[in-house]
Amino acid sequence: MSGGADPAYRPWRVQHFRPQTRVSAAKDVARDYLEDAFLYRRMPPTTFDGRPVDTTMRWFIGSTAAFLHSASRNGGTTGRRAEDDAADSMDGLLACLVTAGRFEVETNGRFLPLGPGDVFVLDTAKPHVMRDYPGHVAVVFIPRAAAVTHVDMARADDLAGAVLTDADLADLFAMQARYLVGALERIRPAAFDAALAATADVALAMMASETDQTQGGDSLVARAKNLIANSSADPELTPAKVADILEVSRTRLYAAFAGQGMTLGAYLRDRRLQMFLTLLRERPTESIQQLSADAGFDASHSDFTKMFRRIYGVPPSRVRQALLDERALEGTLRALPPPHDTPSK
């Protein structure tokens, strides 16, 4: 049902939480695909310390998507349980933007520390707990029936709890979501519904791009490794720069490496450590700081030594001394006279 199709249709819904009372959404709205649904009906916001809850959740029920803006003015927690998925009509994906404050979200076996500007995805079918300290979040709800036409749902399980802040379309989604926050209850419903539908389309395109990350993952990792093999000595080569050079989102690149049981940062570090050890064997009398810089490490001598000791259990100076002792022993052996037979008596 569109916002202008029925004069009795009122898409705006507001839920204010105050001590001992909750004002439900208006009862005189026309029925729609989210009739009587509320994301956190069974786990409404509560504060950490027992103070009165000061949270406002504003809804817009559009023709193809819904929009929620939650503003918490004191720290607290809310969530969605497994039984909620069967008990209400909310079944779909939530594209979320932190517009202010700080959040922690637990869902799908993931823990997400989130701050202003972070974009993340939740699935109404998967339980989640959200803590704010305090914070504001804008949410676009997309029914699963609409999501399946854009997103490969066979791989959509990884979307629940995915942080898409670095996704290709994340900035556009964030810009449009912020516009919706400002326009909520201020422009005509039909106009807001059109803006919401456009934002939902961007969210779907953003999520569809991320579900494609497993395709070609091996070749993407191979391309990254080849780049690192040729450029790891550059101290400005960071995981983020690798993603930029390969023209992929950091989220996609990190996921490709995670699919092979490693992290991009650790791989880049280990490659530089291998180069450092090679240089150390070739130039054992040169300073540790110079050799680490030539290997691509942009760190102080003490920081590099701490990192090296943490990984190998010994400081780099001890490895160098062992190499020097080995060379000295080889020199001593070479200086010995050749063996000769002693005449027997």
Side-chain angles (χ1 to χ4, degrees):
M1 177 179 293
S2 68
D6 186 336
Y9 178 73
R10 291 195 226 161
W12 311 111
R13 313 240 180 127
V14 179
Q15 203 128 9
H16 299 284
F17 294 90
R18 293 293 186 270
Q20 308 301 319
T21 64
R22 286 196 291 278
V23 181
S24 299
K27 298 297 185 182
D28 55 351
V29 297
R31 294 191 66 83
D32 53 54
Y33 67 93
L34 287 178
E35 182 69 18
D36 295 329
F38 184 61
L39 188 64
Y40 301 121
R41 177 188 292 130
R42 291 164 184 80
M43 292 180 66
T46 58
T47 59
F48 295 128
D49 54 9
R51 292 182 299 158
V53 174
D54 191 4
T55 296
T56 301
M57 293 188 178
R58 300 184 295 159
W59 278 96
F60 178 91
I61 311 300
S63 57
T64 59
F67 182 74
L68 163 69
H69 182 239
S70 175
S72 297
R73 288 165 287 276
N74 52 1
T77 183
T78 187
R80 186 169 172 85
R81 298 171 179 165
E83 57 267 28
D84 294 341
D85 187 51
D88 62 30
S89 56
M90 293 200 70
D91 180 36
L93 300 176
L94 305 169
C96 312
L97 169 71
V98 178
T99 57
R102 185 168 64 89
F103 286 84
E104 291 175 351
V105 176
E106 293 182 52
T107 187
N108 204 26
R110 297 170 173 172
F111 174 79
L112 314 178
L114 302 162
D118 277 332
V119 175
F120 62 103
V121 179
L122 297 174
D123 188 328
T124 61
K126 295 184 180 296
H128 69 264
V129 174
M130 181 181 293
R131 306 180 187 90
D132 62 85
Y133 291 92
H136 298 185
V137 62
V139 180
V140 174
F141 168 76
I142 303 169
R144 200 171 304 277
V148 296
T149 63
H150 295 76
V151 178
D152 183 353
M153 301 308 286
R155 291 196 294 273
D157 185 67
D158 289 337
L159 278 175
V163 178
L164 306 185
T165 308
D166 297 317
D168 293 336
L169 295 175
D171 289 343
L172 178 58
F173 170 76
M175 179 181 68
Q176 294 185 203
R178 288 190 177 95
Y179 168 79
L180 293 176
V181 172
L184 193 62
E185 300 179 278
R186 295 183 180 179
I187 65 175
R188 292 182 300 109
F192 192 94
D193 191 32
L196 174 57
T199 305
D201 286 343
V202 171
L204 283 170
M206 175 179 66
M207 291 187 282
S209 176
E210 292 307 308
T211 56
D212 290 339
Q213 66 189 2
T214 56
Q215 293 183 339
D218 291 345
S219 62
L220 180 56
V221 170
R223 288 169 56 205
K225 288 182 176 181
N226 183 63
L227 172 63
I228 292 171
N230 293 301
S231 307
S232 62
D234 179 3
E236 295 185 357
L237 186 68
T238 62
K241 189 172 182 179
V242 171
D244 289 343
I245 294 173
L246 296 179
E247 297 183 341
V248 298
S249 71
R250 278 176 275 180
T251 302
R252 180 181 177 187
L253 183 58
Y254 296 169
F257 269 80
Q260 296 192 8
M262 69 182 94
T263 66
L264 174 56
Y267 181 83
L268 179 58
R269 178 204 65 199
D270 291 348
R271 181 77 185 190
R272 285 171 169 157
L273 283 171
Q274 292 172 10
M275 181 178 291
F276 170 79
L277 292 173
T278 298
L279 294 175
L280 185 61
R281 291 186 184 94
E282 295 173 352
R283 296 143 49 187
T285 59
E286 202 157 329
S287 72
I288 297 295
Q289 186 170 3
Q290 183 60 53
L291 293 175
S292 65
D294 290 348
F297 287 102
D298 184 17
S300 67
H301 174 71
S302 60
D303 288 342
F304 175 76
T305 297
K306 290 177 183 177
M307 181 268 294
F308 191 96
R309 184 194 293 270
R310 185 178 69 252
I311 294 172
Y312 292 107
V314 295
S317 58
R318 183 174 299 180
V319 177
R320 178 174 62 182
Q321 188 59 51
L323 289 171
L324 291 173
D325 291 345
E326 182 180 336
R327 289 194 175 190
L329 177 59
E330 291 177 353
T332 300
L333 292 175
R334 284 196 298 268
L336 292 174
H340 60 277
D341 293 333
T342 302
S344 58
K345 295 183 179 179

